[in-house]
């Protein structure tokens, strides 16, 4: 049987039924299903080993986005997020993308940049030449720090030297370009930077200060593209609206920030579900977006000759599938299994698809019916539940409030009483 992520009515099923379907799709074990069902699956002792001063854990809803067809393969996407509508929006956009073959992706090698800042260098031009002359020796020393990574085909692949003018005078900045394979890579890179800095000090006669990874991971990029037919979007008017929305984002940082926030809704939700460092991703994405001197959209949208919508995303993805919380948080491990990705690159590519999907869904909704319609329904249901409605009654009370455009707890209580009579 070929597996499909297209599960009509998934959202209407009871939680247990959904879990059963995900279990079958991903081949989860009894233990993995138990973990997902457990409230607070991250044990206190585990949490206590992850960070300092632990007193508890924080829970977040974990949802599954359906319909993702990526390079011809079906994926169910775990997303951890507190905001309503984002999972539904991703599923909806992925459904629209399927009609034209789904998402196509690509990525660069998993290259991270480690920076060593060298100050108080008398002759920066000579220092640069001297460092480059001993490049092989420096790279060799860095690679000695992580023989396992080197054995897996990773390690330092190149070294660059930059001379920068700063408010504190000229500085030499050495970049170690490190292939980190399936790790996020910060630990490996930082260790290497620290290890080579005494040698760099001897070569340059300067002082090594910062020895740390750069979160602008501009060499570790993922991209995705998809075509959305005008019919599924709701007509050529909607296609034009999305392209105009993109044009505004490209011209105006105020809109661009919100445009990119919509992208990161998807990217970060997958990152959280899989135990990845969301701050590193945000920092990388936004600095990359501003790299050409102006803050720019992470996605681009244009109309095709046929009048359909073509979308593309490119962003840095410093994510891992080994080490860190991806290893220590048991729910993150189950999420990686559900995703079915075999490498960090593949995980990044999936995130790019989800980012593109969430961006399209948000902009399409704003351009077509307005974003509040979907939000209001969920908001109204929450208010109905707060007023004491349960099951079907909660849906009926919510519907009535939306109809009346009065979404308040006092009105919810009145409607509830009327229905209960
Ligand atoms: C809300 O989380 C995200 C949006 O504001 C994105 C956008 O405006 O494109 C809806």
């Amino acid at each position: 049987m070929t597996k499909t992520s297209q599960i009509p009515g998934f959202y209407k099923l009871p939680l247990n039924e959904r879990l059963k379907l995900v279990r079958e799709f991903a081949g989860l074990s009894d233990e993995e299903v138990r973990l997902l069902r457990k409230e607070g699956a991250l044990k206190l002792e585990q949490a206590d080993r992850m960070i300092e001063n632990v007193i508890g854990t924080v829970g977040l809803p974990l949802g599954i986005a359906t319909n993702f067809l990526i390079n011809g393969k079906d994926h169910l996407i775990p997303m951890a997020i507190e905001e309503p509508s984002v999972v539904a929006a991703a599923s909806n956009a992925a459904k629209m993308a399927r009609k034209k073959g789904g998402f196509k992706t690509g990525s660069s090698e998993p290259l991270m940049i480690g920076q060593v800042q060298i100050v108080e260098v008398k002759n920066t031009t000579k220092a640069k030449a001297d460092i480059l002359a001993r490049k092989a020796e420096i790279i060799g020393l860095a690679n000695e720090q992580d023989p396992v990574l080197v054995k897996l085909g990773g390690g330092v692949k190149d070294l660059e030297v930059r001379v920068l003018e700063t408010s504190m005078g000229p500085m030499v900045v050495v970049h170690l370009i490190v292939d980190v394979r399936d790790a996020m890579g910060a630990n490996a890179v930082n260790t290497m930077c620290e290890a080579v800095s005494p040698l760099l000090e001897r070569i340059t006669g300067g002082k090594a200060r910062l020895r740390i990874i750069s979160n602008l991971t501009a060499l570790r990029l993922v991209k995705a593209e998809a075509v959305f037919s005008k019919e599924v979007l709701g007509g050529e008017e909607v296609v034009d609206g999305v392209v105009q929305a993109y044009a505004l984002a490209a011209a105006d940082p105020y809109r661009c920030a919100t445009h990119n926030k919509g992208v990161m809704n998807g990217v970060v939700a997958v990152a959280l579900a899989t135990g990845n460092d969301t701050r590193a991703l945000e920092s990388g994405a936004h600095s990359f977006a501003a790299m050409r001197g102006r803050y720019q959209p992470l996605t681009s949208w244009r109309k095709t000759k046929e009048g359909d919508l073509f979308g593309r995303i490119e962003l840095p993805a410093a994510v891992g599938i080994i080490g860190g919380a991806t290893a220590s948080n048991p729910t993150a491990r189950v999420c990686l299994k559900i995703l079915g990705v075999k490498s960090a690159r593949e995980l990044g590519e999936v995130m790019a698809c989800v980012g593109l999907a969430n961006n399209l869904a948000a902009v399409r909704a704003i351009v077509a019916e307005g974003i509040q319609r979907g939000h209001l329904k969920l908001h109204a249901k929450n208010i109905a539940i707060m007023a004491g409605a349960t099951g079907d009654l909660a849906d009926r009370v919510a519907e009535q409030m939306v109809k009346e455009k009065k979404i308040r707890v006092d009105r919810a209580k009145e409607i509830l009483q009327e229905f209960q009579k």
Side-chain angles (χ1 to χ4, degrees), residues 75-392:
H75 290 269
L76 289 177
I77 316 279
M79 299 175 78
I81 188 161
E82 87 298 341
E83 186 177 332
S85 302
V86 174
V87 177
S91 307
N92 197 17
K95 186 172 165 192
M96 295 189 214
R98 282 186 94 90
K99 297 266 186 299
K100 292 268 175 189
F103 299 87
K104 307 274 177 299
T105 67
S107 56
S108 59
E109 294 292 327
L111 294 174
M112 298 290 280
I113 298 168
Q115 293 193 299
V116 182
Q117 172 203 30
I118 310 164
V119 298
E120 296 166 30
V121 176
K122 288 205 181 72
N123 182 340
T124 50
T125 313
K126 181 172 179 310
K128 179 174 176 170
D130 290 346
I131 294 169
L132 289 174
R134 293 173 69 179
K135 189 166 156 173
E137 183 189 348
I138 301 163
I139 292 179
L141 179 60
N143 280 337
E144 274 172 29
Q145 313 309 311
D146 202 332
V148 178
L149 181 62
V150 174
K151 213 164 133 197
L152 291 170
V156 181
K157 299 292 170 189
D158 202 1
L159 177 154
E160 287 167 357
V161 188
R162 300 158 70 214
V163 176
L164 297 179
E165 290 304 324
T166 78
S167 59
M168 296 292 286
M171 291 174 191
V172 176
V173 179
V174 177
H175 281 189
L176 295 183
I177 317 285
V178 191
D179 183 328
V180 294
R181 300 281 88 197
D182 286 324
M184 187 275 187
N187 271 330
V189 174
N190 293 342
T191 304
M192 288 171 170
C193 288
E194 290 186 8
V196 299
S197 57
L199 175 57
L200 291 173
E201 285 180 336
R202 285 199 297 281
I203 295 172
T204 59
K207 268 203 180 97
R209 295 273 195 221
L210 299 183
R211 297 150 295 160
I212 195 82
I213 198 164
S214 166
N215 284 118
L216 174 50
T217 59
L219 301 176
R220 194 179 189 181
L221 299 177
V222 290
K223 53 190 176 192
E225 55 187 48
V227 176
F228 299 83
S229 77
K230 54 181 179 292
E231 291 80 19
V232 295
L233 288 169
E236 213 153 333
E237 182 73 12
V238 179
V239 174
D240 291 337
V242 173
V243 177
Q244 283 160 350
Y246 161 64
L248 176 60
D252 173 26
Y254 287 96
R255 173 57 207 160
C256 195
T258 323
H259 182 101
N260 286 344
K261 194 272 183 182
V263 172
M264 297 312 282
N265 271 347
V267 173
V268 167
V270 179
L272 266 178
T274 55
N276 272 286
D277 181 341
T278 57
R279 290 85 54 215
L281 273 167
E282 292 276 11
S283 147
H286 296 294
S287 52
F288 179 71
M291 214 178 154
R292 274 174 265 155
R294 224 172 84 190
Y295 188 61
Q296 287 289 297
L298 294 162
T299 59
S300 62
W301 297 97
R302 68 171 168 78
K303 195 169 164 175
T304 66
K305 281 201 301 292
E306 296 74 31
D308 297 327
L309 183 67
F310 172 83
R312 189 175 185 282
I313 183 170
E314 185 170 42
L315 79 167
V319 293
I321 60 164
I322 55 165
T326 55
S328 54
N329 186 331
T331 311
R333 282 201 304 274
V334 180
C335 287
L336 280 170
K337 182 161 175 186
I338 295 171
L339 265 179
V341 291
K342 299 279 175 288
S343 67
R345 276 175 75 168
E346 207 187 336
L347 173 60
E349 289 175 24
V350 167
M351 285 177 174
C353 297
V354 183
L356 188 67
N358 273 112
N359 178 228
L360 185 266
V363 175
R364 196 210 66 83
I366 300 168
V367 164
E369 66 268 4
I371 204 84
Q372 284 307 81
R373 203 169 86 180
H375 276 218
L376 274 189
K377 270 197 221 152
L378 271 164
H379 176 57
K381 187 159 176 188
N382 281 333
I383 298 287
I385 290 168
M386 271 167 70
T390 51
D392 260 10

Side-chain angles (χ1 to χ4, degrees), residues 383 387 401 406-416:
I383 298 287
M401 284 195 294
K406 278 188 201 147
I407 301 169
R408 302 191 314 256
V409 180
D410 59 330
R411 182 63 194 134
K413 283 186 179 156
E414 284 168 12
I415 300 171
L416 183 61

